[in-house]
Amino acid sequence: MADPRSRFTRGWWFLAPGLVLMTLIVSVPLLMAFRYSVHRVFLYRFDEQTFLGLANYLRAIRDPLYVNALKVTTLFTLGCLVLSIVLGLLVAFALSSREVRLRPAWLALFLIPFVVTPVVAGIAWRFFMWQQEFGVINQVLGVFGGPDPYWLLERETALIAAIVSNSWHLTPLAILVFYAALTTIPDELFDAGKTDGAGPMQSLWYIVLPMLRPHMLFVSIIVITSAFREFDMIWSLTGGGPGRATTVLSIFAYDRGIANQDMGMGNSIAFSMFVIMAVAAWIYITVYRRVLEHEE
Amino acid sequence: MISPRTKRRLLAVLLHGVLGLWLIYSILPPLMLLAASFNSTALFRSPLDLLLFREFTTENFSQAFTRGAFWFFFRNSVIISSAAVVITLVVCVPMAYGLSKITGRARSAVSFGVLAMRFIPYVVLALPLFLLYVNLGLAGSRAGLLLAHLAIHIPFATWMLIGYFDSVPEELEQAGIIDGCTPWNLFWDVTLPVVRSGVIALAILVFVMSWNEYLFALFLAGSDAQPLTVGITRFLGGAEAGAEYGVIAAYSVLVISPVIVFALAANRYIVSGMTAGAVKG
């Protein structure tokens, strides 16, 4: 008989109840989503369900609007990824310098965009930043004699505006993780680099960036998952418009499932998002293990 | 020739300049909300007018409270967010502790499962639940909405806490076993006090996540369980005309004030919680 205090037995006693609960809470809706996705089912005609197989998925793939939503989501996600990593690195580098005073205070204030309610952030950007006539962006551009586009009313600029607004919300995470990593790089490493004749750019490229690789991977995956499923910010910023220029997959699934009441279609769009993310998760875990092994 | 000292001074000025610009960029959108909320709506001509409070008024706030039925939504937000924090802690603290104790293949399988659940898009949970709730008559209950929140919080919280529990040396518990501790004592009296800051960080992050949540609320809240995030979007229709942005700004300020206060007051915990898991999966 195993000792109830043995590490393993103890662990399972504490783990099991939560594990069962979590599996139920998450997998029941997920399985229901899959079930509805292979049926013809409408919102207020729940009792008339007919099995369709993969017909909803095939219809989605042939639907130019689904392809458009997939394209918009990809551009949106990649845009947020690039912006938040680049800006996050830049700010973290500046902040981690020993010349900077009151570093914890700066960091605390930089966190604000991350906790601001995304729906409210969308409202703030829409009415006070991107607004064509009096918005901050065009007022600042005006000082430099720049153009004054109707940011949210034109197809190309609306997507750019959505990417910038959402990156505003996500960059603090990147700053925080990179900053925490940078402050743990021992000074000896830089001194060694200096003795070997490395300039600031070289030590950045050959010492700092390689050390940040696992952190960049971590930030990337958080930003990718968050941006890929983003709904709130875009919903209050543009509502998916103009036309379908910012209709990401989450909004498209809402559109089909609830606005059009075609729940079979809505659920197959949502479930296709889950499949895409599952593949991304698998890639991430594989790559991450390799990077960590490489470190050791 | 510039002396090294001047060079360092210049660098310091440059760095503070960059950080100052970033700070303005970071706080400008919420700052504009604050400015607009305390100005009469007739004014919005330039951002500068608003920031100087040229036509100061508190009228927008009284409108938000009365016409916006603020307290109704506030009550729902507080109840849902607090319940989410309590349940998540009760479920996830023992669970993460247990997970950090088991080893080998079981451990990698379970942590893979927890991590995988963190990748689930919200909409794939919200749509089937919406259909179920509508047809089972559960639409508009706070419990139904809470359930969706938990589906997001539990994997997130467990994943975040494992790191904290893993950092507690096993020797501590070995000493406890020699002293005759029961398994419960080992968890509650020996290990939990060590990871207290992680638990606080988690409670704050879960509260902020629930407070800010909108998608589930839009899908599942019906008309009785709507939180503040839904309350505010009711104004967006009228705002197309640009007539209501003062009230919207006031409402926005009321919604984001608690989380911003949290972010500044509990900064240390949020920083530690957000970076947990950055070093290992």
Side-chain angles (χ1 to χ4, degrees):
Chain A
M1 189 62 202
D3 181 358
R5 292 180 304 185
S6 89
R7 187 175 167 151
F8 203 72
T9 321
R10 255 189 302 142
W12 275 108
W13 274 111
F14 283 97
L15 174 60
L19 191 60
V20 171
L21 193 70
M22 176 180 80
T23 313
L24 277 178
I25 290 185
V26 177
S27 59
V28 167
L30 205 58
L31 290 174
M32 294 311 288
F34 181 69
R35 199 206 119 88
Y36 298 138
S37 79
V38 292
H39 282 76
R40 179 198 303 279
V41 47
F42 286 90
L43 188 47
Y44 298 107
R45 276 180 286 155
F46 189 58
D47 297 330
E48 308 162 25
Q49 299 184 22
T50 42
F51 180 73
L52 284 182
L54 294 177
N56 280 328
Y57 291 95
L58 295 174
R59 227 172 78 211
I61 293 169
R62 286 198 215 102
D63 184 350
L65 292 181
Y66 177 83
V67 177
N68 170 69
L70 194 61
K71 210 179 84 191
V72 171
T73 310
T74 310
L75 288 175
F76 179 76
T77 308
L78 290 179
C80 289
L81 179 66
V82 171
L83 259 188
S84 54
I85 295 259
V86 170
L87 292 172
L89 276 175
L90 215 78
V91 177
F93 280 141
L95 187 62
S96 66
S97 161
R98 267 170 296 177
E99 308 293 329
V100 175
R101 289 180 203 176
L102 297 172
R103 293 193 281 182
W106 287 106
L107 194 61
L109 291 168
F110 290 167
L111 269 187
I112 289 177
F114 190 73
V115 296
V116 167
T117 315
V119 152
V120 172
I123 290 173
W125 279 91
R126 171 171 159 192
F127 290 112
F128 303 105
M129 303 301 283
W130 300 118
Q131 205 263 1
Q132 194 268 336
E133 212 175 347
F134 309 115
V136 172
I137 305 274
N138 280 356
Q139 295 270 329
V140 171
L141 285 178
V143 172
F144 300 104
D148 58 342
Y150 286 88
W151 289 98
L152 300 178
L153 300 180
E154 284 159 28
R155 295 183 64 85
E156 294 79 15
T157 52
L159 186 57
I160 294 171
I163 290 170
V164 171
S165 313
N166 200 51
S167 306
W168 175 82
H169 170 65
L170 289 173
T171 308
L173 176 84
I175 296 175
L176 190 60
V177 171
F178 293 144
Y179 172 75
L182 285 173
T183 47
T184 59
I185 297 181
D187 289 341
E188 291 82 45
L189 217 54
F190 288 104
D191 296 337
K194 257 185 206 155
T195 334
D196 292 344
M201 285 317 282
Q202 280 166 315
S203 54
L204 183 72
W205 193 255
Y206 292 107
I207 300 176
V208 179
L209 285 183
M211 286 203 68
L212 285 183
R213 210 157 7 153
H215 304 91
M216 278 198 229
L217 200 57
F218 173 79
V219 172
S220 306
I221 199 66
I222 302 278
V223 169
I224 288 173
T225 46
S226 166
F228 183 78
R229 68 187 170 202
E230 186 56 45
F231 179 94
D232 308 6
M233 170 87 81
I234 304 175
W235 187 253
S236 65
L237 186 74
T238 64
R244 301 247 170 203
T246 54
T247 301
V248 288
L249 285 166
S250 290
I251 293 182
F252 191 52
Y254 172 88
D255 197 47
R256 284 293 137 100
I258 295 184
N260 285 2
Q261 305 187 2
D262 186 348
M263 270 289 172
M265 192 60 180
N267 277 292
S268 50
I269 295 163
F271 202 80
S272 77
M273 293 177 68
F274 168 69
V275 172
I276 295 171
M277 270 298 105
V279 173
W282 182 75
I283 294 174
Y284 166 69
I285 289 166
T286 320
V287 173
Y288 202 78
R289 285 211 178 122
R290 207 164 291 163
V291 169
L292 281 188
E293 274 162 24
H294 188 76
E295 294 284 305
E296 287 152 10
Chain B
M1 186 67 195
I2 309 168
S3 75
R5 197 153 156 247
T6 333
K7 220 167 149 187
R8 273 184 49 198
R9 278 253 175 85
L10 276 175
L11 180 66
V13 170
L14 181 76
L15 289 173
H16 283 94
V18 169
L19 295 176
L21 278 179
W22 185 260
L23 180 63
I24 294 173
Y25 178 69
S26 294
I27 63 169
L28 200 55
L31 197 64
M32 289 302 297
L33 289 174
L34 187 70
S37 69
F38 280 110
N39 274 294
S40 121
T41 304
L43 182 73
F44 189 31
R45 285 290 166 270
S46 81
L48 217 54
D49 280 344
L50 290 182
L51 289 168
L52 293 174
F53 297 99
R54 287 240 167 88
E55 275 177 53
F56 183 85
T57 173
T58 54
E59 175 60 23
N60 294 323
F61 283 92
S62 41
Q63 294 265 335
F65 279 116
T66 52
R67 224 154 34 91
F70 179 81
W71 294 114
F72 168 78
F73 298 108
F74 179 78
R75 191 163 161 262
N76 282 330
S77 276
V78 170
I79 292 174
I80 292 165
S81 307
S82 321
V85 171
V86 172
I87 298 175
T88 305
L89 287 185
V90 169
V91 173
C92 295
V93 174
M95 188 176 161
Y97 169 76
L99 189 50
S100 86
K101 287 294 142 198
I102 66 171
T103 44
R105 204 166 264 179
R107 154 106 196 213
S108 13
V110 177
S111 34
F112 176 83
V114 172
L115 184 61
M117 287 185 191
R118 262 182 59 78
F119 289 81
I120 293 178
Y122 294 8
V123 71
V124 80
L125 301 174
L127 267 182
L129 285 179
F130 175 70
L131 186 57
L132 270 182
Y133 288 179
V134 163
N135 289 287
L136 299 177
L138 281 172
S141 77
R142 282 191 289 257
L145 184 51
L146 186 62
L147 203 66
H149 281 227
L150 291 176
I152 297 302
H153 294 332
I154 293 177
F156 165 77
T158 310
W159 178 75
M160 195 196 111
L161 277 175
I162 298 173
Y164 285 95
F165 279 116
D166 275 348
S167 67
V168 182
E170 176 67 13
E171 289 75 39
L172 204 63
E173 296 213 337
Q174 292 305 330
I177 292 178
I178 292 166
D179 290 343
C181 287
T182 65
W184 176 258
N185 289 144
L186 291 176
F187 164 65
W188 189 260
D189 299 320
V190 177
T191 301
L192 199 54
V194 184
V195 298
R196 206 179 51 193
S197 70
V199 175
I200 297 174
L202 178 70
I204 293 167
L205 283 178
V206 167
F207 187 90
V208 170
M209 279 165 71
S210 267
W211 187 267
N212 286 347
E213 207 290 320
Y214 176 65
L215 189 150
F216 288 146
L218 175 70
F219 281 53
L220 306 174
S223 54
D224 296 336
Q226 293 179 345
L228 283 168
T229 45
V230 175
I232 191 172
T233 48
R234 297 199 317 175
F235 281 99
L236 286 180
E240 292 295 345
E244 295 260 41
Y245 64 83
V247 185
I248 292 175
Y251 213 114
S252 301
V253 168
L254 293 171
V255 175
I256 62 176
S257 301
V259 280
I260 289 187
V261 169
F262 254 147
L264 295 178
N267 188 257
R268 189 163 63 91
Y269 295 109
I270 295 191
V271 167
S272 117
M274 276 167 69
T275 43
V279 202
K280 34 192 240 88

